[in-house]
Every structure is written in structure tokens, then in C-alpha cells.
Amino acid sequence: QLQLQESGPGLVKPSETLSLTCTVSGGSISSGDYYWGWIRQPPGRGPEWIGTIYYDGATYYNPSLKSRVTISVDTSKNQFSLELRSVTAADTAVYYCTRRRRSSSNRDYWGQGTLVTVSS
Amino acid sequence: QSALTQPASVSGSPGQSITISCTGTSSDVGGYNYVSWYQQHPGKAPKLMIYDVSNRPSGVSNRFSGSKSGNTASLTISGLQAEDEADYYCNSYTTSGTWVFGGGTKLTVL
């Protein structure tokens, strides 16, 4: 059974960089059948797509976050990561890592989510 | 990219059917059959209920169905059960190569 697990600091100071890692178990991140991505959800609000990466490193980002976001993949560790720079309180949210099947809207696996609070 | 439009809330009694709409534009919902629906209970991760407009993942009850007409997608839940009470979100691919979510609908089972 595939599992995705987010890890990283739960508290980040304003203007600093938020860094999260998603560890994939029970399946290979190098499968060409899937895209791997990040979605966040501010408290009390709907989800927001952050971006997606393919195993070969190709990335796609939300235009509203593109200037501050980098998503990378480490196939040797079966992990992918998120960096969000120059954070503000507006970046406080639960961050989820996900898997989506290619050529489909089938985003079938989600991590449990990790709350990241931006505060001094 | 603007969020897709969903009603803030819907309600129904056990056994009834309800439909949640998700309205976008020809650049997202109307342009692709890449619309999905998620159910989210408090404190939990979203759960995929429908993908590619009308496909149900394995394990999801056949009481859940999806459809699309023009720029509006719909999720129908028949035979409402207490456990269906949750927030529901639609999600669509866009011409920009990005993904956009709806604002969410709170379903109350009376």
C-alpha cells in the first residue's frame, strides 16, 4: 500500500524559507505513470495547488507562487521536496503531498498533511 | 487563476439526493475532462471521490456520481447517509497547465 509522509518544521519565521519533504513508501517515485505534488490548505479555507514534479525533474507551479517556490525530487531516496521562500503569515496552512496519475485528474494518494505556522 | 464557484452549503435528509455544482470557464472545467471531486472530514486529508468528471475510484460508493455540462461540473450523492456530512471540493485542470480548486461546499445531513 502506497504511503506519503510529509516532514519538516511546524514553525517558520516570517521572511524565512519553508522546507518540507515527502517520503514515498510502498511504491517507486520513478514510475513514469505519476506526477508528485504539493497542495496547501489555510485554516478554514479550501485547498490551493502549489505545484507538481515528474520523476525526471520537470516542474509546474502555481503562477501566484512561482517566484517563491521550488519543488525537487530525489529518486535515490524516493522523496520529493518543497521550498517556499520569503514566507508571511498568509503562508500558514496544512501542507499535503500528493500523487496524481498522468493524463488524469486522479489524485488518489495524499499524505496526512502537516501544519506549518508562520510566526515570529 | 480564479477559484471555481461552488455553493457554500447544501443540505438534505437521509435517503435523499443532493447535487453540488462547480462552475468554471472554458479555460478550465469547460475545456477539459479533468475534473475531480474530493470529500474532506474535519481534521482529515481530502479523499478522492470522482476523477475525470465521472469516474469513481475503487472503494468509493456508487452513491457518488459526477457529470459535466458546459462550464459546470456536478457531484450527485444519492441515498444520503450521515457519514456523507463533510466538505466537498471540485478541482480542474486549466489551459495554463495548472490546477484550480473550488471554494468548497459544506454538506449537512439533516
Side-chain angles (χ1 to χ4, degrees), chain B residues 12-19 39 61-65 76-85 88 107-110:
Chain B
S13 299
Q16 288 186 332
S17 294
I18 64 96
T19 296
Q39 176 193 68
S61 171
N62 59 11
R63 298 185 298 105
F64 291 82
S65 62
T76 298
I77 309 173
S78 59
L80 267 181
Q81 299 179 1
E83 68 206 50
D84 299 332
E85 185 162 295
Y88 290 84
L107 168 62
T108 300
V109 180
L110 302 170

Side-chain angles (χ1 to χ4, degrees), chain A residues 39-41 44-49 52 60-64 96 100-113, chain B residues 1 33-36 38 40 43-48 50-53 57 89 91 93 96-104:
Chain A
I39 288 170
R40 70 180 183 179
Q41 186 171 24
R45 295 177 57 185
E48 177 183 32
W49 177 76
T52 293
Y60 310 84
Y61 298 131
N62 186 324
S64 68
Y96 296 100
R100 179 178 64 80
R101 185 176 288 275
R102 276 185 70 194
S103 301
S104 172
S105 58
N106 185 334
R107 191 175 282 109
D108 54 355
Y109 281 93
W110 295 58
Q112 64 183 25
Chain B
Q1 54 188 18
N33 286 328
Y34 289 157
V35 177
S36 54
Y38 298 87
Q40 187 177 34
K44 299 294 187 182
K47 175 187 176 183
L48 179 68
I50 296 288
Y51 68 94
D52 297 348
V53 175
Y89 297 95
N91 181 231
Y93 183 70
S96 303
T98 62
W99 295 83
V100 62
F101 281 90

